[in-house]
Amino acid sequence: MNRDDFHYPDAPYFLSHSVGLQPKTTRAVFDTAFDQGWRAGDHNVWDGWLSTIDNFKANLAGLIGAEANEICPQTNISSALTKLLFSLPREKSRRRIVMTQADFPTAGFVLKMAETFGCTLDFIESGPGLANPANWAAKLDDDVLLVFVTHVFSNLGLKTPVAEITAAARKAGAISVVDVAQSAGIVPIDVASWQADALVGTSIKYLCGGPGAGWMWANPALTTKCAPLDVGWFSHANPFEFDIHNFQYAPDAARFMGGTPNPAPFAMAANGIATIERTGVSAIHQHAQKLISHFADAWRGGEFISHITPGERGAGVIIKPQDTQESVNRLQCTGIGFDQRSGGIRLSFHLYNDENDIDALLNALA
């Protein structure tokens, strides 16, 4: 589709669910946006660095249909979710947090910390039923504080009906938080139609932005009710006031920022998003779905252990060949990029993959 825009390895690469490939323009952009001013001893280097962070927020806002001031850069999803969790308004009658057995473990580790203020975790069973909004609605009642929704599960391949789930959460008066780590950049996201309370995400996967550029989107209606504990001078309404006796939360998502930000990863991440946006997420999604269908229709060497139903899947699959170890050996010999999860071989598809990659994969698995 747009392979020439990326540093592509010699063999087919199916690991975008782990690390998206680097755009060819990233090194030059990083040099201009971060390194150049520092190297030159620019007295105003922080002006450029803060503009770099603003550029990241603006690019991401365009990608998900948000406003830039609703986005707060974070180191990673764990950090974002922790800041959000301990900032939430608490109600004595709401002591339950709903999530699933299929969520990425870091979310479970963070949300379990809610036990320190009296909440308990309530898990929905993993499996294809997670694509049915009724199974989520059945768990949501007036004792739920928060529902954590993974848009696309990394080890299931399943895409949840986020808009229906968040609607059920609103009806129950619960806060909804959506994890888009495995969907941002490959599956369309529209915060206006979802009406979630918050999103947490990363730039390292399908956004092709490298590590260290996590982020949070917070609905303004929720933000003004949140009182983060992990604060710093960039959480302040006026960071340059410099009055140690007067802290006031920023009126927007900046209240989740904390201390001095690191602009370096966001220079790379902003360029990754800009590269993705040149093609457009909808077009990339359609392309990836065609590649999955091509592979699913042609491969007959075993079974799919991930969710493969069109319309209910993300951009990855997990397969279990008849002889998994033999298949792993063949893939490794050809240099094809993959990893292993859930007892099978995990593969994902992005804009730089094409039909020739699928054919090479099929030949290696034959």
Side-chain angles (χ1 to χ4, degrees):
M1 195 175 189
N2 274 13
R3 180 175 295 185
D4 290 343
D5 290 342
F6 295 85
H7 293 290
Y8 198 84
D10 293 335
Y13 185 86
F14 299 107
L15 277 166
S16 298
H17 57 265
S18 179
V19 180
L21 291 177
Q22 185 184 102
K24 290 180 178 178
T25 53
T26 292
R27 184 180 292 272
V29 168
F30 179 80
D31 186 66
T32 300
F34 177 77
D35 204 35
Q36 198 173 77
W38 182 25
R39 191 169 58 242
D42 184 349
H43 297 180
N44 299 310
V45 67
W46 266 108
D47 292 341
W49 285 351
L50 293 179
S51 292
T52 292
I53 292 175
D54 287 341
N55 186 42
F56 167 80
K57 291 163 61 178
N59 287 0
L60 180 60
L63 188 92
I64 65 173
E67 297 294 331
N69 66 356
E70 298 166 357
I71 291 168
C72 185
Q74 299 287 311
T75 303
N76 50 49
I77 286 177
S78 300
S79 174
L81 189 56
T82 299
K83 287 189 178 185
L84 182 64
L85 177 65
F86 285 93
S87 75
L88 295 175
R90 298 173 192 171
E91 300 179 37
K92 291 183 179 179
S93 61
R94 293 185 179 273
R95 296 293 189 183
R96 198 156 50 93
I97 292 177
V98 175
M99 61 185 307
T100 83
Q101 297 284 2
D103 291 320
F104 194 71
T106 200
F109 302 157
V110 170
L111 293 175
K112 186 174 175 59
M113 294 299 104
E115 293 178 355
T116 62
F117 54 83
C119 286
T120 60
L121 299 186
D122 190 359
F123 290 93
I124 303 174
E125 288 298 316
S126 177
L130 293 175
N132 184 351
N135 293 330
W136 293 80
K139 281 281 189 178
L140 301 178
D141 210 335
D142 60 6
D143 64 338
V144 175
L145 172 67
L146 181 149
V147 56
F148 184 80
V149 186
T150 295
H151 188 200
V152 174
F153 293 98
S154 62
N155 292 339
L156 282 181
L158 182 145
K159 177 167 66 76
T160 54
V162 172
E164 290 90 338
I165 297 168
T166 57
R170 288 194 302 277
K171 184 177 180 180
I175 294 165
S176 58
V177 180
V178 185
D179 178 351
V180 296
Q182 291 289 345
S183 58
I186 193 69
V187 180
I189 294 169
D190 180 14
V191 298
S193 63
W194 282 2
Q195 296 187 55
D197 291 296
L199 271 61
V200 290
T202 179
S203 303
I204 194 173
K205 303 178 188 297
Y206 296 99
L207 288 177
C208 300
W215 50 273
M216 173 200 308
W217 170 83
N219 191 317
L222 176 67
T223 297
T224 55
K225 300 175 183 177
C226 289
L229 299 178
D230 182 2
V231 298
W233 66 307
F234 273 81
S235 303
H236 197 289
N238 181 8
F240 296 95
E241 182 183 64
F242 297 125
D243 179 354
I244 199 168
H245 301 289
N246 180 40
F247 175 75
Q248 299 178 40
Y249 284 114
D252 53 25
R255 66 176 56 196
F256 297 103
M257 182 74 85
T260 306
N262 177 6
F266 296 99
M268 296 184 288
N271 187 60
I273 296 170
T275 305
I276 294 298
E277 279 285 74
R278 280 197 287 274
T279 300
V281 175
S282 292
I284 297 171
H285 178 66
Q286 292 173 14
H287 173 72
Q289 293 305 305
K290 288 180 182 178
L291 295 180
I292 294 174
S293 294
H294 177 177
F295 178 68
D297 292 343
W299 185 65
R300 293 293 180 269
E303 63 177 330
F304 286 86
I305 55 177
S306 60
H307 200 76
I308 199 68
T309 305
E312 296 180 358
R313 65 193 184 197
V317 299
I318 301 177
I319 60 171
K320 188 172 184 180
Q322 294 169 358
D323 188 334
T324 299
Q325 190 55 54
E326 175 63 21
S327 295
V328 166
N329 294 341
R330 290 179 183 175
L331 292 172
Q332 289 174 337
C333 285
T334 60
I336 289 176
F338 71 100
D339 62 13
Q340 294 177 262
R341 290 291 188 277
S342 304
I345 294 169
R346 185 168 61 160
L347 308 153
S348 55
F349 309 86
H350 207 354
L351 79 166
Y352 36 67
N353 295 116
D354 61 22
E355 301 286 348
N356 292 329
D357 290 342
I358 304 302
D359 292 339
L361 175 63
L362 291 166
N363 288 336
L365 292 171

